[in-house]
C-alpha cells in the first residue's frame, strides 16, 4: 500500500471505513457497553481520523492507529464528569457478534465485567489477533506486563465462567 493521506479521495476513506468499522465498534463496546454511546464514539473516532493529517504505511498501521485512538477516546469519555454522574437505562444485549462468532451472552458479559487492563488485552489478543509485542507497543506497556495481564485475564475469566469455557 502506498503512503497517502486519507483525504485523497472519498473512495479511499470509504474503503478504510469498511475495513475497520467493525473493529472500532467492538472496541468501543468493550469500554462503553451501550449501543447508543458506542455509535457516537465510532462516529467521533472516524471524524478524528478525517481531521487528523495522517499518513499510514499499510493497513496494519491504520488498524493500530484506530485501536489506540479508539481506546483513548473511550477512556476520555468514561472519565468525563457527565458520564460519571449518569445511570444506564438499557441492559446489555444478550448476544453480541464478534468477528462472525456469536459467543454466549454469559461469555460477553463476563468479558465486559473484567477490569479494563484485562479485557482490552484479551480483546486485542484473541479477537483482533495482535501479537503480545504489538499489543505492548500499542498500549505503551512492557511485553512481560501484557503477558501477565493475558494470563491473569484468562484465569479470571475462567474462574468467572466456572472453568468450562477456556482451555489453558
Amino acid at each position: 500500500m502506498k503512503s497517502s493521506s486519507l483525504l485523497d479521495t472519498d473512495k479511499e476513506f470509504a474503503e478504510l471505513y469498511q475495513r475497520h468499522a467493525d473493529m472500532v465498534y467492538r472496541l468501543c463496546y468493550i469500554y462503553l457497553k451501550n449501543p447508543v454511546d458506542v455509535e457516537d464514539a465510532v462516529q467521533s473516532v472516524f471524524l478524528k481520523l478525517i481531521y487528523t493529517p495522517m499518513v499510514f504505511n499499510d493497513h496494519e498501521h491504520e488498524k493500530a492507529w484506530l485501536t489506540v485512538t479508539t481506546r483513548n477516546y473511550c477512556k476520555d469519555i468514561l472519565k468525563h464528569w457527565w458520564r460519571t454522574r449518569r445511570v444506564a437505562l438499557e441492559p446489555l444485549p444478550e448476544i453480541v457478534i464478534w468477528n462472525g462468532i456469536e459467543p454466549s451472552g454469559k461469555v460477553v458479559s463476563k468479558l465486559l465485567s473484567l477490569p479494563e487492563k484485562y479485557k482490552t488485552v484479551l480483546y486485542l489478543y484473541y479477537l483482533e489477533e495482535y501479537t503480545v509485542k504489538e499489543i505492548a507497543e500499542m498500549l505503551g506497556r512492557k511485553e512481560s506486563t501484557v503477558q501477565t495481564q493475558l494470563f491473569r485475564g484468562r484465569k479470571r475469566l475462567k474462574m468467572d465462567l466456572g472453568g468450562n469455557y477456556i482451555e489453558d
Side-chain angles (χ1 to χ4, degrees):
M1 178 181 173
K2 69 174 185 145
S3 297
S4 64
S5 169
L6 283 175
L7 300 177
D8 285 348
T9 65
D10 289 343
K11 183 181 176 194
E12 288 178 7
F13 181 77
E15 289 172 358
L16 183 143
Y17 180 83
Q18 291 298 320
R19 277 193 302 273
H20 302 295
D22 289 342
M23 184 269 304
V24 170
Y25 185 91
R26 289 189 302 266
L27 192 54
C28 288
Y29 195 88
I30 283 177
Y31 284 96
L32 303 175
K33 303 173 188 169
N34 179 323
V36 175
D37 291 341
V38 168
E39 290 170 5
D40 288 344
V42 170
Q43 180 180 350
S44 296
V45 167
F46 279 101
L47 281 174
K48 190 173 276 198
L49 178 65
I50 288 171
Y51 293 116
T52 304
M54 289 294 303
V55 177
F56 296 112
N57 299 329
D58 55 25
H59 296 310
E60 287 303 313
H61 186 208
E62 292 171 356
K63 188 176 176 181
W65 187 88
L66 284 167
T67 300
V68 171
T69 301
T70 301
R71 180 184 129 241
N72 291 341
Y73 181 81
C74 291
K75 288 174 86 174
D76 288 345
I77 292 294
L78 293 173
K79 287 189 282 185
H80 192 272
W81 69 268
W82 175 254
R83 179 80 179 193
T84 59
R85 289 175 176 81
R86 75 178 202 181
V87 177
L89 297 176
E90 296 178 28
L92 287 173
E94 283 297 314
I95 295 176
V96 177
I97 298 175
W98 304 86
N99 286 342
I101 301 168
E102 292 185 27
S104 72
K106 184 178 178 182
V107 174
V108 172
S109 65
K110 294 295 183 188
L111 175 65
L112 294 176
S113 69
L114 290 175
E116 184 271 331
K117 62 184 178 184
Y118 299 137
K119 69 182 171 188
T120 301
V121 171
L122 287 171
Y123 169 78
L124 292 173
Y125 187 79
Y126 286 108
L127 298 173
E128 296 301 328
E129 299 178 351
Y130 281 109
T131 65
V132 170
K133 183 178 180 182
E134 291 169 332
I135 295 169
E137 289 172 5
M138 271 190 274
L139 302 179
R141 299 174 187 160
K142 293 179 182 177
E143 287 183 43
S144 59
T145 302
V146 171
Q147 288 174 331
T148 301
Q149 290 172 341
L150 272 173
F151 173 77
R152 289 180 181 163
R154 281 191 295 254
K155 186 176 177 181
R156 196 158 169 177
L157 188 61
K158 184 177 180 178
M159 285 181 2
D160 288 350
L161 294 171
N164 296 328
Y165 290 87
I166 299 174
E167 297 176 10
D168 281 335

